[in-house]
């Protein structure tokens, strides 16, 4: 099972992907978390990514694709993965298709979380007071939303054209209920069998 959790900044991709991945017994691969780890470890990639991330922009496709490709080569990824925050541009989606083809795989499912902008802003500014993520500012979020609409939203069209199953999920409300909604959608799509 290769699944993608898709949605604007603050829509709950990380929250939901981590829970669903545990239920499916596959790794949760979060591009943003991996990049923040690179920043924390002061690697060459981290040094290049940090100013871009702080400004709410996108790290260059080739760097992110190489990072994800290396992660997909790890043994735990052979049984499937749940990707969060990747692909984020149409070129990344095309490169993911190629990476998966070499592994005789394809994207099986896109879970698209839908949350209105005012709720996204409330969540991000609330998290800013507790976690202090450097891109969780009003300006950073505004830029992340612009980038999402311009570069990331078209990724859904890429999968629609490919005939990939896309489940739109209301991402507002109780976190447990949203997780159950995703699991139900995965069951309907035949991704989850039985009571997993
Ligand atoms: P990334 O870390 O992916 O950030 P993002 O997309 O802006 O998303 P967030 O992590 O802010 O939100 P989320 O949707 O995961 O929601 P979460 O569960 O955290 O990427 C950061 C940066 O890295 C990018 O801007 C870019 O620079 C770079 N990058 C990453 N991937 C890249 C790529 N592929 N290519 C190029 N560059 C890339 O929840 C948010 C908050 O809401 C939390 O506090 C949570 O507790 C709360 N919350 C969650 N669900 C609910 C709910 N139902 N009700 C109330 N609160 C909730």
């Amino acid at each position: 099972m290769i699944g993608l959790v898709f949605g604007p900044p603050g829509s709950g991709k990380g929250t939901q992907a981590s829970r669903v991945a545990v239920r499916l017994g596959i790794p949760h691969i979060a591009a943003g978390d991996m990049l923040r780890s690179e920043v924390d470890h002061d690697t060459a990639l981290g040094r290049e990514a940090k100013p871009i991330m702080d400004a709410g922009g996108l790290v260059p496709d080739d760097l992110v694709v190489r990072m994800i490709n290396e992660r997909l080569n790890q043994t735990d990824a052979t049984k499937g993965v749940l990707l969060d925050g990747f692909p984020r541009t149409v070129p990344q989606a095309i490169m993911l298709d190629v990476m998966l083809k070499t592994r005789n795989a394809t994207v099986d499912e896109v879970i698209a979380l839908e949350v209105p902008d005012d709720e996204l802003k409330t969540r991000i500014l609330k998290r800013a007071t507790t976690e202090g993520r450097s891109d969780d500012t009003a300006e950073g979020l505004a830029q992340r939303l612009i980038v999402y609409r311009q570069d990331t939203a078209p990724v859904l069209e890429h999968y629609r054209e490919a005939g990939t199953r896309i489940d739109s999920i209301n991402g507002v409300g109780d976190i447990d209920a949203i997780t159950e909604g995703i699991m139900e959608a995965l069951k309907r799509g035949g991704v989850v069998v039985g009571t997993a």
Side-chain angles (χ1 to χ4, degrees), residues 4 21 26 31 34 36 56 62 102 108 132 134 140 179 183 194:
L4 310 183
I26 57 177
M34 292 175 74
R36 278 185 289 278
D62 57 330
T102 65
D108 300 297
S134 53
T179 307
M183 294 305 295

Side-chain angles (χ1 to χ4, degrees), residues 9-15 36 57 59 85 88 92 127 133 144 173:
S11 56
K13 298 185 294 296
T15 302
R36 278 185 289 278
V59 177
R88 226 167 173 116
Q92 288 182 15
R127 185 172 64 186
R133 221 174 90 172
R144 280 150 71 196

